[in-house]
């Protein structure tokens, strides 16, 4: 079982690389952003709460996210090939909660893969994605807030995972296939 945290700023290619990993390795996938957008679409209480944070470029409170995570993870049963965590964790308390949740099940994160992309490129990609997908938080003002939140609340996780000895840095700028080859190199060597 190879549980993977795919890590990086909004627009760094986590979703794209996750799709390729799923196709090649048969992994399961948890995108907390997708889970929340689904809740919004279904008009649930959680969705209503989440929408305000998302539209404002802020993170949903840790307690809510941590509760959701275990229930989604357990849907995959005990014998999966690995789960890709995409968009989670985004804070140190979330990383600690993920570790505890997996420990309780005798599982662990096998690798954290950081996709490193320069800020200018992130902005370009997200504005384009907003035009194509209609995601309401992919507008310039909200993107700036999200990148600010990424720098202040999420980047400390790089050091956190370095201490866990499972951090892997990948240059996320360039050819998709080269980036995916680098990702596979990490996974194949776990
Ligand atoms: P994403 O699709 O991963 O870019 O997430 C979109 C938005 O959902 C984020 O800007 C946050 O508002 C919210 N979100 C997704 N995952 C998390 C998380 N792990 N913790 C807090 N908020 C989250």
């Amino acid at each position: 079982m190879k549980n993977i945290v795919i890590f990086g700023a909004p627009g760094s290619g986590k979703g794209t690389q996750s799709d390729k990993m799923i196709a090649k390795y048969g992994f399961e996938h948890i995108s907390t952003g997708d889970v929340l957008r689904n809740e919004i679409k279904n008009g649930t209480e959680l969705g209503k709460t989440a929408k305000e944070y998302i539209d404002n470029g802020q993170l949903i409170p840790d307690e809510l996210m941590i509760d959701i995570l275990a229930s989604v993870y357990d849907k995959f049963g005990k014998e999966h090939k690995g789960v890709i965590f995409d968009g989670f964790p985004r804070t140190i308390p979330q990383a600690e909660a993920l570790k505890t949740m997996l420990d309780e099940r005798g599982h662990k994160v096998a690798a954290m893969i950081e996709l490193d992309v320069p800020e200018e490129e992130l902005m370009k990609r997200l504005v384009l994605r907003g035009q194509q997908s209609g995601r309401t938080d992919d507008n310039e003002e909200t993107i700036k807030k999200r990148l600010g939140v990424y720098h202040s609340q999420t980047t400390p996780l790089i050091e956190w995972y370095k201490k866990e000895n499972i951090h892997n840095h990948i240059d996320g700028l360039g050819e998709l296939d080269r980036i995916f080859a680098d990702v596979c190199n990490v996974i194949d060597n776990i």
Side-chain angles (χ1 to χ4, degrees):
M1 179 186 297
K2 294 181 176 181
N3 288 326
I4 311 283
V5 169
I6 185 86
F7 184 89
S12 58
K14 301 188 293 292
T16 306
Q17 295 297 324
S18 293
D19 288 345
K20 292 172 89 63
M21 283 188 261
I22 295 162
K24 176 162 177 173
Y25 296 99
F27 292 148
E28 309 291 346
H29 181 223
I30 299 177
S31 154
T32 43
D34 285 350
V35 170
L36 295 169
R37 281 184 288 275
N38 211 30
E39 295 286 330
I40 294 173
K41 204 173 79 193
N42 294 332
T44 64
E45 278 308 308
L46 172 60
K48 283 178 201 151
T49 309
K51 186 169 168 41
E52 292 197 18
Y53 289 99
I54 291 179
D55 286 349
N56 203 20
Q58 301 300 313
L59 297 182
I60 277 73
D62 286 336
E63 314 80 70
L64 273 181
M65 294 310 303
I66 291 165
D67 277 357
I68 299 170
L69 189 80
S71 62
V72 179
Y73 184 78
D74 286 334
K75 284 193 190 134
F76 299 128
K78 294 189 177 119
E79 299 301 327
H80 55 77
K81 292 182 180 155
V83 171
I84 304 167
F85 295 93
D86 167 0
F88 191 103
R90 267 172 149 101
T91 63
I92 302 253
Q94 289 185 14
E96 284 166 350
L98 176 61
K99 188 173 179 182
T100 306
M101 187 274 279
L102 292 174
D103 265 353
E104 284 166 0
R105 290 156 177 78
H107 300 175
K108 62 177 178 145
V109 174
M112 181 271 218
I113 300 178
E114 178 201 351
L115 299 174
D116 187 8
V117 176
E119 188 112 355
E120 284 173 28
E121 170 72 11
L122 293 170
M123 184 55 91
K124 267 196 264 168
R125 289 186 191 177
L126 289 167
V127 169
L128 188 71
R129 185 172 78 184
Q131 287 161 358
Q132 289 166 349
S133 74
R135 249 180 79 164
T136 52
D137 57 345
D138 282 343
N139 64 77
E140 207 164 324
E141 194 194 331
T142 313
I143 294 167
K144 280 193 188 138
K145 285 192 202 161
R146 287 159 64 206
L147 292 176
V149 165
Y150 174 74
H151 287 301
S152 60
Q153 299 190 52
T154 307
T155 50
L157 287 175
I158 296 172
E159 286 308 312
W160 195 90
Y161 277 108
K162 278 185 185 166
K163 286 197 191 118
E164 296 276 303
N165 279 320
I166 53 171
H167 167 262
N168 298 273
H169 173 272
I170 288 181
D171 178 1
L173 189 63
E175 278 289 307
L176 253 186
D177 288 344
R178 194 275 303 152
I179 300 168
F180 187 56
D182 288 354
V183 168
C184 293
N185 193 33
V186 171
I187 296 172
D188 294 340
N189 284 300
I190 293 171

